[in-house]
Amino acid sequence: MTRRAGVWLWRWRRSPLRRTSDVVEAWILLAAWVLAVVGALVAGLLTAGAMQQTAEHTRARSHPVTAVLVQDGPQGNARPAGGALVWGTVRWAEPDGTGHTDRARVPATATPGSRITVWTNGHGALTSPPASAADTAFQSVLGGLWAGTATVGLVAGGAKLAQSRLDRHRFDQWADEWARMDTRWGRTTG
């Protein structure tokens, strides 16, 4: 099987068969490739950076606090086995001495009076523990990949839409040319 050189660039070469719509399509495809690559990189990097910054901000606001389990969760058979977490009432004091009581997830094996580490947001409200640096990096990379992929999909979809409109325009032109040629020859084919 032989391949002729330059066939894949046929839209860019001068040819009596090349139409203006072929050149427009070539420019659209070139712009789409460039926009897809650059747009995916920019969207991915911006998304990953924003996710990383948000996670670091959340990590900076969260503080571990030692709390005392006041009332544990379900008793008896309702208590899950192993290291599962259950809801329990905990009491803790802020650094300024303000006391707080709230419900938090505690180990199933904890008993009333046990000391448990909970996370607060600095305003006395309980929050979930912040993601580790490794989890944050993984989520940021994954978010960046999703954003880049979505950008490529949008650009490719737009290019395909433009290409289909150009094809429809070419088919209409072709039908008009056939109609003119048929009447010139004195007969119709359709």
Side-chain angles (χ1 to χ4, degrees), residues 5-135:
V7 171
W8 63 281
L9 290 175
W10 70 271
R11 288 182 179 99
W12 297 99
R13 293 185 298 149
R14 292 198 180 277
S15 169
L17 298 177
R18 185 185 71 183
R19 297 181 181 195
T20 305
S21 61
D22 295 330
V23 176
V24 170
E25 182 179 10
W27 280 107
I28 287 173
L29 292 176
L30 178 66
W33 274 99
V34 170
L35 188 60
V37 170
V38 172
L41 285 173
V42 169
L45 290 174
L46 288 176
T47 301
M51 289 179 72
Q52 187 79 23
Q53 185 178 14
T54 301
E56 288 172 2
H57 183 65
T58 302
R59 197 177 302 123
R61 287 186 315 179
S62 300
H63 304 289
V65 177
T66 302
V68 175
L69 181 61
V70 179
Q71 177 185 357
D72 58 353
Q75 301 292 327
N77 293 337
R79 181 178 286 269
L85 298 176
V86 296
W87 287 98
T89 305
V90 295
R91 181 176 295 135
W92 74 96
E94 291 290 327
D96 63 359
T98 307
H100 296 281
T101 303
D102 202 351
R103 293 188 51 80
R105 302 289 303 235
V106 299
T109 58
T111 58
S114 301
R115 295 195 174 275
I116 299 165
T117 301
V118 294
W119 291 83
T120 63
N121 63 1
H123 299 293
L126 290 176
T127 63
S128 58
S132 67
D135 287 342

